[in-house]
Amino acid sequence: SAASDVYKRQAKDYLLLVEGCQIVDPEFFNWLKKQDFQLPPRDIVLCVLIRMYKKKEEILSIFCITDGTYRTMRSRARKRLGLDDKDLDIFLQKELK
């Protein structure tokens, strides 16, 4: 179906993005591996963009998503990283050193 074709293409695009992110931010990937977190590619890209201090508007346009979707993505990423009481941006940009 057309929908599954779009999804497959998106998945492939995300994997390519993740490869690019690994080059840009190896430190984050080493940390992820040590923690043994299973993050979907989309979450990984989100985290790397946050670590690069990208503004919300930039992230919305990179992912082609709405503000609501962005908030949902962030809260899922926070849960997957076990950051229930921590701010995602502060954790990714400051604490993860």
Side-chain angles (χ1 to χ4, degrees):
S1 75
S4 73
D5 286 349
V6 166
Y7 183 76
K8 278 184 205 148
R9 197 185 70 235
Q10 272 187 333
K12 202 177 77 205
D13 291 347
Y14 279 125
L15 289 173
L16 283 172
L17 270 176
V18 168
E19 277 177 31
C21 287
Q22 251 172 316
I23 295 162
V24 172
D25 194 352
E27 182 187 21
F28 179 63
F29 282 83
N30 292 336
W31 177 81
L32 265 185
K33 212 174 282 162
K34 271 195 225 116
Q35 308 299 320
D36 202 32
F37 285 126
Q38 298 305 309
L39 285 190
R42 195 172 156 151
D43 284 13
I44 292 174
V45 175
L46 173 69
C47 289
V48 170
L49 290 170
I50 291 171
R51 281 173 56 78
M52 293 167 70
Y53 294 90
K54 295 287 180 200
K55 290 185 175 52
K56 181 174 80 173
E57 290 68 33
E58 292 177 90
I59 295 174
L60 292 179
S61 74
I62 289 167
F63 282 115
C64 302
I65 54 174
T66 63
D67 196 54
T69 305
Y70 172 71
R71 281 202 300 273
T72 305
M73 262 176 90
R74 284 176 57 92
S75 94
R76 284 192 187 139
R78 240 181 63 228
K79 281 196 190 96
R80 287 185 181 122
L81 292 170
L83 303 176
D84 298 325
D85 55 345
K86 289 188 178 149
D87 182 280
L88 187 64
D89 296 41
I90 290 172
F91 176 78
L92 290 170
Q93 294 165 351
K94 315 258 181 340
E95 289 185 41
L96 194 92
K97 293 287 176 227

